[in-house]
Amino acid sequence: MSGASDDSTDGDSTEAFVQGTSDGEPRITFYGGRGMSAFPIAFFIVWAIVQTAFWRISDEGGLVVGILLGLILGMFFVRGDWKTYANTIFEGMTQPVAVTAIVAWIWAGMFAQLLQDGGFVDGLVWLADVGGIGATLFPAITFVLAALFTTGIGTGYGSAIAFVTLFFPAGILLGANPVLLFGAILSGSIFGDNLAPVSDTTIVSAVTQDSDIGGVVASRFKYVIIAAIIAFAGYLVAGQFMSGLAIGGDARELLVAESEPIGLVHLISMGVVIGTAVAGRHIVEAISWGIVVAAVSSLVLGLISLGDIVMFNAPPDAPLAEPLEFLPILTIVEDPNAISVGGSLITGASGFFELAILVLLIIAAAQIMIRGGAFQAILDWSIDNLATNVRNAELTMVGSSALINAVITINTAAEVAIGPYISKIGERFNLNGYRRANILDGQTAALGYIFPWSGGVLAGYSAMQQLPGEYEWFDSGMLVTPIDVVPFVFQGWLLVAVFVVAAITGFGREYITDRETEEVARI
């Protein structure tokens, strides 16, 4: 999902959440039975489909209204006191997995904005031009780089934000198709989120299936790489046939010609983030070090000023305003409308506040579905009626993981919710913990970046919405509507297909008798 883990906290919070979704706490009862507990989330999904697919509006504020209405209307179906329903909303919104995603988005947003303001996009354009990487190759190359970056830092959402902020405008300027390019970025995020040992989804899939992380990663490589090779070829082929946007030939050539390599200094910052994350540090610490290195290098090389990083625009009558006007981070403004705090850090963080609210409310609606019994009813039915043999059991595991990811937009939260049931189905047919973990993570890593309302897509789209204000040549018509990118997230669709084929043919299937998993590394 969203970020690398801290040695001392993440495993404990994950186990607590798993227990919290299946313990004996009071359930919410609904008129119409357990199925009505799914009303809030079902209402939101219908709302999201109408808004994004039929009306072509990708506004996150509209999605917030949709989930709020779903939660409010859901209360009218509750039997008795509404207090338990209300408390469940708070219970869902305080889940650690949701907060982890939000923190990763904010830190990644600050880091990406700082690199953008420091000329990294300009450096990428220069490098692509000098290296002969044109419009047709750029999406495929971006897929590979996003995959490597995400595998290193373990946060697919953070990678989506960084690459949309930095690589997306560079690719558009070079003539790449925006829809294909956004799909390539999401695909690279899926690759790393699925494979990185420090990814939350990797850790949760291993922990919920009582498997060690090292063995899980080693055993899943074959599935991931098959999908990646085909996806890479797909981006190469699609890049030949899908043209880019008409920015204006002369303007594009001028912008490319004026690009400079100095911005590539921020490759050091990205390397620091990757190296720190691989060393086992928390993703917040890793990105914080990247921010520090990016800020220092930009200031030393004169790429930005201290005021570009953070600036206080104060009124002239403010106490200590005039005496401290000499500070590089303080400006006195006469216009009342100009009073504000700005700069790279503020801009980078503020773009995800709406998304954070949306995700917390969706997790709350999912928690109501869990507490009300709809989730349990669906899984019990699938276990009793679909998992009749080992092949059908694995197909049921694929399908149920996919279904829960359509409901819960944060893929780690989806894994936590469905993990115990994947374990139950797999153990019935003596499937090895590695196999169960791989099926679980394959679907959640993939589909967390496909549905238009999923966390990965919305994180990338939120970053994209900031671009028209960053470049004079970038207008709102260049934005990619999330519904349009769905068919082009090749790694996601192919990863799901690989596991469907693996379930049918038995490819990679392991039983408990074939190999014992090592003691679980709960980090």
Side-chain angles (χ1 to χ4, degrees), residues 33-44:
R34 292 188 295 176
M36 288 307 300
S37 64
F39 177 85
I41 201 72
F43 181 89
F44 167 73

Side-chain angles (χ1 to χ4, degrees), residues 181-207:
L181 186 55
F182 190 25
I185 291 171
L186 295 174
S187 285
S189 299
I190 291 169
F191 180 98
D193 211 350
N194 186 213
L195 192 62
V198 293
S199 167
D200 275 1
T201 61
T202 300
I203 294 169
V204 171
S205 66
V207 168

